[in-house]
Amino acid sequence: MPTNSEVEMSPAEVDAHLSRHETGVLALARDDAPYAIPISYGYDADERALYLRLVSTPDSEKREFLASAPRARVVVYADDDDEYASVVGVGPLERVDLDELTPETIAQYGEARRPLFEIWADDKPDLDIELYRFAPEKLTGRTVVVERDEA
């Protein structure tokens, strides 16, 4: 029977995990209805903030959830043989006005490598590309090592 060893990540380990990865899951809720989508992000360890480019179509469920200014949860996880690591952030998702962009901010969005806009079947004029900043109020991480019995 496998045994588990679970360890809470230090803030530096959380930052390293978020800096090392570029994809995760964004979860939103509205009127008790959940919504979760895969995302790509850039991470700024100094600000402890994730930068997201979110693409939606005019009639998409994503656009409806984003319009409600929901609280958000982001999960970034990795699975490497017998070690599992995850970081969870909780807080407000802030839409960034294009007038507020700085060269430093734009560089963060450059780290968000996905979505690759060329894969969308819809015409690009029908797509709404919005920029978001997620600076979680709570940011935690855990690493679990599974020691498997050799049979």
Side-chain angles (χ1 to χ4, degrees):
M1 166 138 333
T3 59
N4 293 342
S5 168
E6 186 174 323
V7 177
E8 189 169 332
M9 290 182 187
S10 69
E13 290 169 323
V14 167
D15 290 339
H17 182 84
L18 291 173
S19 295
R20 194 170 42 251
H21 299 282
E22 63 184 41
T23 60
V25 176
L26 170 66
L28 308 170
R30 185 190 72 218
D31 300 328
D32 295 328
Y35 182 73
I37 55 170
I39 53 141
S40 173
Y41 66 88
Y43 183 65
D44 183 328
D46 292 332
E47 291 186 21
R48 299 197 95 199
L50 287 82
Y51 292 85
L52 316 170
R53 279 188 315 218
L54 300 178
V55 180
S56 61
T57 57
D59 58 348
S60 73
E61 190 175 22
K62 183 190 306 179
R63 190 175 287 185
E64 290 176 27
F65 272 84
L66 291 170
S68 69
R71 289 189 46 80
R73 184 173 302 249
V74 170
V75 178
V76 176
Y77 61 93
D79 175 358
D80 187 18
D81 293 325
D82 292 338
E83 183 171 307
Y84 307 91
S86 63
V87 169
V88 177
V90 179
L93 183 64
E94 304 166 13
R95 185 177 175 281
V96 174
D97 191 320
L98 297 180
D99 295 337
E100 297 173 11
L101 289 178
T102 66
E104 295 79 21
T105 308
I106 291 169
Q108 293 300 329
Y109 290 106
E111 295 297 316
R113 293 176 179 86
R114 294 178 182 88
L116 300 173
F117 302 118
E118 290 74 21
I119 66 171
W120 286 78
D122 295 316
D123 290 336
K124 289 181 185 179
D126 292 338
L127 297 178
D128 184 17
I129 303 168
E130 294 183 316
L131 304 178
Y132 288 84
R133 180 175 182 271
F134 180 67
E137 297 161 346
K138 183 176 180 185
L139 191 57
T140 59
R142 297 193 186 287
T143 301
V144 177
V145 176
V146 178
E147 298 172 15
R148 303 186 194 285
D149 294 334
E150 298 295 324

